Amino acid sequence: MKIFLKTEDEINLMRKANRLVGATLAELSRHIQPGVSTLQLDRIAEAFIRDHGAVPTFKNYPNPFGGPFPASICTSVNNIVVHGIPSEDTVLKDGDIISIDCGTLVTGYNGDSAYTFCVGDVRQDVRDLLTVTRQSLTKGIEMAVAGNHLGDIGQAIQSHCESHGYSVIRELTGHGIGRDMHEDPQVPNYGRKGDGVLLKEGMCLAIEPIIALGDRRICLLPDRWSISTRDGRPAAHYEHTVVVRRGKAEILSTFEEIEHS
């Protein structure tokens, strides 16, 4: 395992990449409504990213199970947990939820963030899942400080979600990030306090709780990318890229424009 501590100059470049991801998600939020296809959202995202002088990192990202990812964002609707492929056949309906995961490459460094959006009038039990998952991201980030361990992050996420009756999908984790989209270490959304890698100042982590309303078991769909809950019930996904600091983590990505518009 090789974990790279980032310099302040590198962190500044990553901040730019992550702010662009936040701006892209905010731009997409203005278009999320019934009748819009996920392929339309992908085209909006790619144009927005390229218009800002960046590269959509997900496009052509290699897949150990099949061909490269064909789009610029992952659009995961309802029971699709992660890695949903945008399609003109997937049209958003009233009551859906959609997780959009987005990555950008700016001046050699990566940004990565995800947000789960409501489409129209969503059932209250599903809205509650989104609220708790979003809260668990905050609780995980609060543990991402120098001197803690990876297990502290996972335990904070797991205990909050499970206390509300939800399931942590264990096969899918957060990750280190920097020059590469996925670097060491993996950042599980479950764990025990004091376990795992010691967190040091300058580590950059993508923390991303992926939480199911029902059973935590998942399956890979025939497109070799999309991952679904086995029971067909919804799942939520939120992600921030953060820098481990002393006392309090710094969040490089942002939901501000989404949540305060």
Side-chain angles (χ1 to χ4, degrees):
M1 181 185 299
K2 288 186 177 181
I3 299 175
F4 300 102
L5 303 183
K6 308 305 190 293
T7 67
E8 290 303 319
D9 286 343
E10 290 176 307
I11 290 168
N12 283 335
L13 293 173
M14 291 185 65
R15 190 179 291 111
K16 291 178 182 178
N18 279 284
R19 294 296 179 186
L20 178 56
V21 173
T24 305
L25 291 172
E27 176 66 21
L28 291 171
S29 72
R30 301 180 181 102
H31 299 272
I32 293 172
Q33 59 186 348
V36 172
S37 75
T38 54
L39 184 60
Q40 286 175 275
L41 296 176
D42 180 67
R43 288 170 175 162
I44 292 166
E46 181 169 4
F48 189 87
I49 292 167
R50 295 192 186 279
D51 285 349
H52 285 80
V55 175
T57 322
F58 294 177
K59 192 149 194 179
N60 297 316
Y61 196 85
N63 181 358
F65 304 109
F69 194 74
S72 297
I73 55 173
C74 298
T75 53
S76 304
V77 179
N78 296 331
N79 60 296
I80 305 302
V81 182
V82 292
H83 305 160
I85 299 175
S87 166
E88 61 183 353
D89 296 326
T90 304
V91 177
L92 298 179
K93 304 184 300 297
D94 186 66
D96 285 345
I97 58 171
I98 176 171
S99 163
I100 300 182
D101 196 352
C102 178
T104 65
L105 182 68
V106 178
T107 323
Y109 286 85
N110 284 279
D112 190 10
S113 183
Y115 196 92
T116 303
F117 299 88
C118 290
V119 183
D121 186 17
V122 173
R123 292 184 348 231
Q124 188 60 51
D125 62 331
V126 178
R127 286 182 177 272
D128 291 343
L129 168 68
L130 269 57
T131 297
V132 170
T133 305
R134 174 73 178 86
Q135 291 170 346
S136 77
L137 174 60
T138 299
K139 291 182 177 295
I141 291 170
E142 288 172 350
M143 294 295 105
V145 296
N148 280 353
H149 292 76
L150 281 177
D152 298 310
I153 297 173
Q155 191 275 337
I157 293 169
Q158 179 183 11
S159 62
H160 185 69
C161 293
E162 291 183 349
S163 72
H164 288 81
Y166 305 129
S167 302
V168 175
I169 295 175
R170 299 193 174 204
E171 295 86 348
L172 302 168
T173 71
H175 51 90
I177 184 171
R179 284 190 175 274
D180 293 327
M181 172 63 70
H182 295 106
E183 297 183 352
D184 289 331
Q186 291 190 348
V187 185
N189 296 306
Y190 63 95
R192 295 188 301 177
K193 289 183 177 180
D195 280 0
V197 170
L198 177 68
L199 301 180
K200 297 181 180 181
E201 187 167 19
M203 291 174 64
C204 291
L205 306 174
I207 300 175
E208 49 181 317
I210 303 166
I211 309 298
L213 183 64
D215 190 271
R216 71 176 180 86
R217 291 177 295 175
I218 55 175
C219 57
L220 181 66
L221 297 188
D223 65 21
R224 313 303 290 174
W225 275 105
S226 305
I227 295 175
S228 172
T229 56
R230 285 195 186 181
D231 62 11
R233 301 183 76 188
H237 177 206
Y238 292 85
E239 177 183 18
H240 268 318
T241 294
V242 307
V243 185
V244 173
R245 301 286 196 186
R246 291 188 178 92
K248 184 179 181 181
E250 178 186 357
I251 303 173
L252 296 181
S253 46
T254 178
F255 296 156
E256 186 173 353
E257 194 173 347
I258 297 169
E259 297 185 339
H260 297 95
S261 59

